[in-house]
Amino acid sequence: MISVCETPFDPSEHISAFDKNADAAGAVVSFLGKVRGKAGADDVKGLHLEHYPGATEKSIQEIEDAARRRWAIDDILIIHRVGRLKPGEPIVLVCVSAAHRRDAFEAADFLMDFLKTKAMFWKKEIRNDSEDWIEPRQDDYKDAERWQWEE
Amino acid sequence: MAQLLFFGKLGDLAGGRAREISLPGSKMTVAQLIATIDEEDTTLGSALRDASVRVFVNEKICPTDKVVADSDEIAFLPPVSGG
């Protein structure tokens, strides 16, 4: 399931529900991305995340489909916040269930690398005296290049 | 009316995420559309022309020689950053 949501979500609720549904799986991997309190020396007051309704969900579906072609996966959950986020709030939750742990670990890693570099979101850091749109770091692109993207 | 959408930093430059433009019976390409925007607002025009900006027409990625119609949704996307 893919969900882009405007309001804060409780990751534990979603992980618990996902786990309950993963009866046949031998492994469930979850990753939670959060808003950092500090970026460099500056205090970040929050983030503003924008998306392109419809096209964003489609871009996430393409990433999910690519993961499913590559690994033996039972189920995938992707929840991504948009709007105004405060430090400490969850931005993204990825859960993957599979028969074996390696498939689940690698698929979760793959999904996150492409959620960072391919999914249609735009992120602005809000500080006391400035607001900056941020783009993926070189490391983020390098992480994504570890995988061969197959259409 | 064609709907123009500007995301991320382009929305700030355009002074809003959405704007409408009349293109009745036009044979205008995306590149020509950017040129008309550039006539009124050079900063936005050159930002739209940046190589990192992708153009989606009706949610499909398109080259800038794509001809756009009055019923189209034309979106300008700077580099994405999720997660």
Side-chain angles (χ1 to χ4, degrees), chain B residues 55-83:
Chain B
V55 181
F56 279 62
V57 177
N58 303 326
E59 298 190 8
K60 283 208 184 83
I61 192 161
C62 285
T64 52
D65 60 359
K66 160 93 179 165
V67 174
V68 284
D70 205 39
S71 54
D72 285 340
E73 179 180 272
I74 305 148
F76 297 94
L77 282 62
V80 295
S81 68

Side-chain angles (χ1 to χ4, degrees), chain A residues 15 23-24 74 85 115 117 121 128 145 147:
Chain A
I15 295 169
D23 288 340
D74 290 348
L85 283 80
L115 283 168
T117 55
F121 293 99
N128 281 326
E145 281 165 14
W147 316 99

Side-chain angles (χ1 to χ4, degrees), chain A:
Chain A
M1 193 190 79
I2 291 166
S3 166
V4 176
C5 59
E6 309 261 352
T7 50
F9 65 90
D10 179 354
S12 57
E13 257 176 40
H14 292 281
I15 295 169
S16 163
F18 184 84
D19 172 37
K20 284 204 180 79
N21 280 326
D23 288 340
V28 172
V29 165
S30 65
F31 172 84
L32 178 67
K34 296 171 52 144
V35 183
R36 263 189 300 275
K38 282 176 188 276
D42 303 329
D43 282 333
V44 173
K45 275 170 57 192
L47 292 181
H48 172 76
L49 272 129
E50 221 177 77
H51 77 306
Y52 183 178
T56 297
E57 286 83 351
K58 218 189 284 174
S59 71
I60 300 173
Q61 187 63 55
E62 285 169 12
I63 298 167
E64 170 171 339
D65 293 347
R68 285 182 181 275
R69 284 195 295 274
R70 196 169 174 134
W71 290 281
I73 290 164
D74 290 348
D75 200 8
I76 291 178
L77 170 69
I78 298 169
I79 302 176
H80 205 298
R81 266 298 302 283
V82 290
R84 181 71 186 259
L85 283 80
K86 295 198 275 281
E89 278 184 10
I91 305 177
V92 59
L93 174 68
V94 166
C95 296
V96 181
S97 62
H100 303 288
R101 74 177 185 285
R102 186 64 53 208
D103 288 330
F105 270 128
E106 289 189 1
D109 199 9
F110 173 96
L111 290 167
M112 273 313 304
D113 282 347
F114 289 105
L115 283 168
K116 284 230 163 233
T117 55
K118 218 173 166 69
M120 285 184 194
F121 293 99
W122 295 273
K123 194 192 286 166
K124 190 191 240 181
E125 272 181 2
I126 298 153
R127 296 195 172 81
N128 281 326
D129 50 2
S130 67
E131 296 189 351
D132 300 295
W133 290 101
I134 49 178
E135 293 180 4
R137 299 165 301 136
Q138 276 311 312
D139 284 350
D140 293 325
Y141 289 119
K142 268 192 207 150
D143 284 343
E145 281 165 14
R146 294 180 301 147
W147 316 99
Q148 296 271 305
W149 178 267
E150 286 160 23
E151 291 293 339

